Amino acid sequence: MSFLDQIEPLQQEAIQDFNQASDLNALEQVRIQYLGTSGKFTLMLKQLSTLPKEEKPAAGKLVNIAKGQLETALTSRRSVLELKAALPKNPTDFTLPGRRNSIGKLHPLTQVTEDIVGCFRKLGFVVADGPEIEDEYHCFDALNTPADHPARDAQDTFHLSAPSKHLLRTHTSSVQIRVMEKQVPPIRIIVPGRVYRRDNADATHNPTFHQIEGLYVDKNVTMGDLKGTVEFVFKQLLGDEVKLRFRPHYFSYTEPSMEIDFSSPLVKKMGKDWLEIAGCGMVHPQVFKTVGYDPEVWSGWAFGFGIERIAMIRYGITDIRLFYQNDVRFLSQF
Ligand code: DAH
């Protein structure tokens, strides 16, 4: 066989052997067999010098092309085998169920919030939202809260220097106004959200905490609806033994206004008979007028309660600060 006729079959043979090598070691062996110092292809290269002078250029060119192709084939096989070597021996089974314990869980306050929201959803309430940086109008004025009310005092509230007349909302009640400004009755909303007050942190206070606001506006809404609704929700959340007590109180945006006290075996465990848990009342006619509702046509009630309070009762926690420290030893218990 002439020299030129040998090139092609040897090249084919080498490429086939490269592609059949099953791992990187085998591939290295095959490489040596063809391209090592005394490999088949190397020997052929050496033969070039023995060719007659006039055949050398054409033969040299072909051999070099073949060599280039061998090297390309070698490199591509090598990268396939390297990838194969990098894969785990026992591949992951992605169909196995997840191991949830180690992934993490919802914060206890989020769990309680979701439970409360779930109860109200059953009654046809929807979740509404509003800004934490609020203006004085929505936080106070529109809620019929006079300029001399203590909540408006710099001692009690985080006022912002800019924009002027803005503050960190002291309660979620501001969202009542924002929703009524945009919607016509009937309205049935709850508003879980973060609120801010100038308190020093201690076992029962923190400068920021969470509330849930509720607002129900329709024709012929009564206090009976309010009591029934609140009782249903608290029994769902904290058990059937729950007792509620409505005590007269004052809020400028409701008339009449009440505070709700709460009693249950869980409260007794905390060494108390009753715990104050929420503020509520029938929406003040002035609030309706401010948002453009006719108080002769529409009636409604509203309430607001602290989410931390409920979580503390539910789980028997006596220090509110535990919720904010993000200590996994605490969080992993829920
Ligand atoms: N905004 C009150 C607070 O932060 C709670 C409250 C009382 C909300 C009466 C209401 C309400 O909607 O009607 O203490």
Side-chain angles (χ1 to χ4, degrees), residues 29-305:
Q29 294 308 315
V30 182
R31 187 193 68 79
I32 292 169
Q33 206 182 318
Y34 289 94
L35 295 166
T37 6
S38 44
K40 291 186 204 174
F41 203 83
T42 316
L43 291 181
M44 193 164 70
L45 272 171
K46 284 182 184 158
Q47 278 181 43
L48 259 183
S49 57
T50 66
L51 291 181
K53 206 173 165 196
E54 60 286 3
E55 286 179 24
K56 273 189 191 166
K61 194 175 166 195
L62 279 180
V63 170
N64 271 326
I65 292 174
K67 192 175 179 212
Q69 286 179 351
L70 286 198
E71 274 159 3
T72 311
L74 183 68
T75 315
S76 88
R77 184 63 186 161
R78 187 177 287 133
S79 54
V80 169
L81 293 175
E82 273 169 359
L83 194 63
K84 203 170 142 193
L87 291 175
K89 293 273 172 301
N90 303 313
T92 310
D93 180 354
F94 292 106
T95 65
L96 285 176
R99 274 174 280 176
R100 292 205 114 232
N101 296 351
S102 55
I103 295 175
K105 347 173 135 173
L106 294 177
H107 191 281
L109 291 178
T110 308
Q111 291 184 35
V112 171
T113 306
E114 288 195 351
D115 288 349
I116 298 171
V117 168
C119 290
F120 280 103
R121 282 228 168 98
K122 286 188 197 164
L123 300 173
F125 283 73
V126 294
V127 173
D129 197 9
E132 288 177 27
I133 294 179
E134 188 51 282
D135 53 49
E136 288 188 10
Y137 176 77
H138 289 91
C139 205
F140 302 127
D141 300 282
L143 285 161
N144 198 31
T145 304
D148 57 358
H149 193 281
R152 302 187 70 142
D153 197 307
Q155 295 303 311
D156 293 303
T157 300
F158 294 107
H159 292 271
L160 303 182
S161 46
S164 73
K165 291 191 175 285
H166 278 67
L167 41 89
L168 299 180
R169 70 178 176 198
T170 55
H171 53 185
T172 42
S173 305
S174 50
V175 185
Q176 290 187 30
I177 302 299
R178 291 198 172 267
V179 169
M180 287 192 285
E181 279 172 344
K182 280 204 219 89
Q183 276 171 240
V184 291
I187 284 180
R188 236 181 281 173
I189 53 156
I190 43 163
V191 184
R194 183 185 275 251
V195 301
Y196 303 83
R197 293 187 192 171
R198 287 185 67 161
D199 271 325
N200 289 323
D202 63 23
T204 52
H205 295 86
N206 200 60
T208 168
F209 58 100
H210 300 80
Q211 287 187 326
I212 286 208
E213 191 81 13
L215 174 68
Y216 178 30
V217 183
D218 207 336
K219 287 179 179 152
N220 306 316
V221 172
T222 69
M223 285 232 317
D225 301 322
L226 169 60
K227 287 176 130 178
T229 303
V230 172
E231 201 167 304
F232 168 79
V233 170
F234 278 100
K235 286 197 164 155
Q236 290 255 311
L237 282 177
L238 297 165
D240 271 343
E241 307 94 333
V242 159
K243 279 197 212 110
L244 296 178
R245 186 168 75 176
F246 289 74
R247 227 175 347 93
H249 198 75
Y250 173 79
F251 295 104
S252 41
Y253 31 97
T254 42
E255 180 58 39
S257 304
M258 289 150 289
E259 273 192 336
I260 307 174
D261 293 338
F262 167 92
S263 177
S264 85
L266 290 168
V267 175
K268 297 247 158 66
K269 256 197 213 156
M270 298 171 96
K272 300 204 166 131
D273 283 337
W274 294 95
L275 268 183
E276 170 202 319
I277 200 156
C280 65
M282 301 304 291
V283 179
H284 198 292
Q286 184 54 50
V287 173
F288 279 153
K289 278 187 205 152
T290 303
V291 296
Y293 290 1
D294 183 348
E296 297 300 325
V297 176
W298 303 107
S299 49
W301 45 252
F303 64 79
F305 52 78

